[in-house]
Amino acid sequence: AGLVTSRRGCEGGYRLARPAGDITVADVVLATEGSIATLRSGPAAPLWADLERTVANFLTARTLTALEGDTR
């Protein structure tokens, strides 16, 4: 997903591959969960589809930078 890079050795570790302001919360969810999934069948399917779009838009609009200092 290109979110982190790694470096081996005593100076090694993990770092963001891009600036935090360029990585959205949706990027992280998609990399770790595979999708932003909801129920897709049954009589409430249109409601769940609307909810999925709303959640995806919400997560796409927020970057990792926006989460700094958020204590909620």
Side-chain angles (χ1 to χ4, degrees), residues 10-21:
C10 62
E11 299 286 324
Y14 294 95
R15 294 188 173 94
L16 293 176
R18 299 178 287 174

Side-chain angles (χ1 to χ4, degrees), residues 4-5 8-11 21 24 26-27 29 34 40 53 59-60 70 72:
V4 296
T5 59
R8 296 175 70 151
C10 62
E11 299 286 324
T24 67
D27 293 330
V29 171
R40 297 190 181 254
R53 279 190 294 278
L59 297 178
T60 301
D70 190 351
R72 286 184 277 160

Side-chain angles (χ1 to χ4, degrees), residues 1-42:
L3 298 180
V4 296
T5 59
S6 63
R7 183 174 172 183
R8 296 175 70 151
C10 62
E11 299 286 324
Y14 294 95
R15 294 188 173 94
L16 293 176
R18 299 178 287 174
D22 292 346
I23 300 172
T24 67
V25 177
D27 293 330
V28 176
V29 171
L30 292 172
T32 58
E33 301 296 326
S35 67
I36 301 169
T38 59
L39 299 174
R40 297 190 181 254
S41 61

Side-chain angles (χ1 to χ4, degrees), residues 20-21 23 25 61-72:
I23 300 172
V25 177
R62 279 137 184 95
T63 65
L64 296 185
T65 301
L67 297 178
E68 292 176 353
D70 190 351
T71 58
R72 286 184 277 160

